[in-house]
Amino acid sequence: MRFPATLLAISAAALLLTAAAHAADKDGNYAIWGMGNQSCNAYNKARANDDADTFKFYVMGYLTAYNVHQGETYSISSAQPMPDILVWFDEYCDSHAIDSFENALKIFVHEHYEKRMKTIPNRYAR
């Protein structure tokens, strides 16, 4: 299933408005919207059926929001293209099927934090 760029923009904007870095209530709880509520098993099934666009768009919105809200972060995924990022999720979710997809995103961010791109690459600088 293909979604228009408008849906991607709306999803990213919603994440930007609702997801503050490391924000939660006093007990550490926070609302999880969209595909983050799904399990890794649901992701695995969607990928097997070549129907994982909603997960892909969710990942893009989540990582964009992270980049916006995390200091010294131009890109948490460094220079990885989306297909490589999705391979990481394929491998993680294959071995963690009962995890939530949101937890997979948190693990991705944690594992990539030290390798993140802190500033815009020179080829894009104005």
Side-chain angles (χ1 to χ4, degrees), residues 35-88:
M35 301 314 287
N37 277 318
Q38 298 295 311
S39 66
C40 270
N41 189 50
Y43 170 78
N44 293 338
K45 288 179 180 179
R47 290 286 283 171
N49 293 325
D50 197 28
D51 190 28
D53 279 353
T54 53
F55 285 95
K56 177 182 170 183
F57 295 143
Y58 190 82
V59 168
M60 290 189 294
Y62 187 101
L63 298 181
T64 298
Y66 186 88
N67 294 340
V68 168
H69 291 285
Q70 183 62 40
E72 293 187 63
T73 303
Y74 173 75
S75 177
I76 187 61
S77 61
S78 191
Q80 285 183 292
M82 182 53 67
D84 291 351
I85 293 169
L86 293 177
V87 166
W88 185 96

Side-chain angles (χ1 to χ4, degrees), residues 70-120:
Q70 183 62 40
E72 293 187 63
T73 303
Y74 173 75
S75 177
I76 187 61
S77 61
S78 191
Q80 285 183 292
M82 182 53 67
D84 291 351
I85 293 169
L86 293 177
V87 166
W88 185 96
F89 284 97
D90 292 347
E91 292 171 358
Y92 181 87
C93 286
D94 279 346
S95 58
H96 299 87
I98 63 171
D99 272 8
S100 69
F101 195 69
E102 189 269 342
N103 192 59
L105 285 157
K106 288 193 317 187
I107 300 290
F108 178 89
V109 164
H110 179 75
E111 286 187 8
H112 289 82
Y113 184 78
E114 291 300 322
K115 298 179 281 185
R116 75 193 185 283
M117 198 179 297
K118 294 182 181 180
T119 59
I120 190 169

